Amino acid sequence: MCENDHPVGMSGLTVSRRTVFAALGVGIGIGAVGLPTAASAAVAGWSNPTLGTLTSGYQTPSRPGHLGWDVANSQGTPVYAVAAGTVRDIRTGSYPGDPTSGPLPGRTGNSVHIDHADSYFSYYGHLHRVLVSDGQRVSCGQLIGLMGTTGNSTGPHLHFEIHRPRLTSTDPRTFLANRGISLGATAPVGTTGWPSVSQGTTSWTARVIQYLLRGRGVSTVVDGYFGPGTASSVRTFQSSKGLYVDGLVGPITWTALILPLQQGNSGDLVRGLQTALNARGASVVVDGAFGAQTTTAVRNFQSSRGLVVDGLVGPVTWSTLI
């Protein structure tokens, strides 16, 4: 998987210029979905983009201009790159009912367009949040966005297209089936999913959430117990970001809470990172200082999970840690 993080300043914290996973202010839906961790038994190099129920199909008689398949699931369901490639262009800032087009013709809202080998490209529309940026290299099965209902959409789903050389488009369901992948059903390669954490939980994950809340300016007690106080703090954060206010930390709230981190950062966000690293087998001091010890722990974790080993904690490393 590929993360491409470079530092800039944000709210007094040195963070990545690729803060593409900041909240977009689209505040509907919950997005609490669990995904399997088994990799697809598909042709090497290709992956299912997401999990869900197939709805509108490719060039149906009623919709001959529909050049992809729609895969429906809860808002916030992770969406993955179907193959390695380069992000050609993206659309962000869309909202339900947005009348403007994305990178391809059509009102597909927040969207990602990825170029692959042999002139193939894939397209992912109606995303709630885009988690990659223009020109970024991505790997097969890399997390690139969260399912949503932006643009011309009646409910959360992924509009997915595949185009091939010399032809305008191809049926993506057939294309993936020829590679051993059942669109919407076969587990994506390298699947990682954000857990859904709610009131009543006592765990290291709850402690990470508490540190992240404090790091984002919301007062809360850090004790590892997701009690009424923490739930109230989560609702305060969700309201401040225009998210669905339910006190549940699912994929959408997770990706709004996190920020990219690297050596030299300090504070409660780093304490949250250090807590997660220790839960994954590291032995770092939870002191809020992203120094050499924490950098080594991040690199060791990235290496153990087959990620790019750069010591930078971007959205892919965060999602794999949690």
Side-chain angles (χ1 to χ4, degrees):
M1 294 185 185
C2 174
E3 293 180 67
N4 196 358
D5 297 324
H6 301 280
V8 296
M10 175 181 285
S11 302
L13 173 70
T14 301
V15 299
S16 167
R17 67 179 172 86
R18 300 201 186 279
T19 52
V20 293
F21 48 93
L24 295 175
V26 182
I28 58 175
I30 296 176
V33 60
L35 295 179
T37 56
S40 164
V43 173
W46 291 92
S47 173
N48 200 336
T50 194
L51 292 180
T53 301
L54 299 182
T55 54
S56 185
Y58 175 78
Q59 292 186 326
T60 61
S62 61
R63 301 183 69 189
H66 193 247
L67 300 182
W69 272 88
D70 292 343
V71 185
N73 207 328
S74 301
Q75 180 155 278
T77 299
V79 174
Y80 305 90
V82 292
T86 301
V87 178
R88 178 172 176 176
D89 46 352
I90 63 173
R91 168 77 191 282
T92 60
S94 183
Y95 51 88
D98 184 3
T100 55
S101 294
L104 294 185
R107 295 164 52 193
T108 50
N110 298 322
S111 44
V112 176
H113 181 179
I114 300 176
D115 284 339
H116 306 293
D118 299 324
S119 300
Y120 285 100
F121 73 81
S122 56
Y123 186 74
Y124 315 76
H126 302 301
L127 301 176
H128 175 76
R129 182 171 295 122
V130 171
L131 301 179
V132 290
S133 55
D134 238 346
Q136 182 176 342
R137 286 287 302 170
V138 297
S139 59
C140 179
Q142 179 169 331
L143 180 68
I144 61 170
L146 301 178
M147 189 182 295
T149 186
T150 56
N152 184 21
S153 170
T154 58
H157 71 282
L158 171 69
H159 172 81
F160 175 64
E161 299 182 22
I162 286 184
H163 296 244
R164 59 184 179 180
R166 297 177 298 279
L167 294 176
T168 302
S169 67
T170 186
D171 185 333
R173 185 182 186 187
T174 301
F175 180 91
L176 292 180
N178 289 337
R179 288 153 180 81
I181 298 167
S182 298
L183 179 61
T186 306
V189 171
T191 297
T192 58
W194 298 95
S196 294
V197 187
S198 57
Q199 187 171 328
T201 301
T202 300
S203 65
W204 66 266
T205 312
R207 186 177 295 272
V208 170
I209 290 168
Q210 291 164 338
Y211 275 129
L212 294 179
L213 285 167
R214 290 206 323 195
R216 300 307 300 272
V218 180
S219 177
T220 194
V221 175
V222 178
D223 59 5
Y225 172 56
F226 197 128
T230 299
S232 178
S233 296
V234 170
R235 287 192 290 269
T236 297
F237 176 78
Q238 291 170 327
S239 178
S240 73
K241 297 299 181 182
L243 307 180
Y244 186 87
V245 180
D246 59 1
L248 173 74
V249 181
I252 292 173
T253 299
W254 274 115
T255 56
L257 273 172
I258 62 169
L259 286 177
L261 297 171
Q262 64 178 16
Q263 188 165 345
N265 293 150
S266 62
D268 281 322
L269 292 176
V270 176
R271 289 185 180 91
L273 168 65
Q274 292 166 330
T275 299
L277 285 168
N278 286 343
R280 298 302 186 188
S283 298
V284 299
V285 178
V286 181
D287 58 3
F290 198 138
Q293 183 190 40
T294 299
T295 300
T296 297
V298 170
R299 288 178 174 273
N300 288 342
F301 175 78
Q302 291 171 327
S303 177
S304 72
R305 297 306 175 95
L307 308 180
V308 173
V309 181
D310 55 9
L312 305 177
V313 185
V316 175
T317 297
W318 266 119
S319 67
T320 309
L321 265 173
I322 302 300

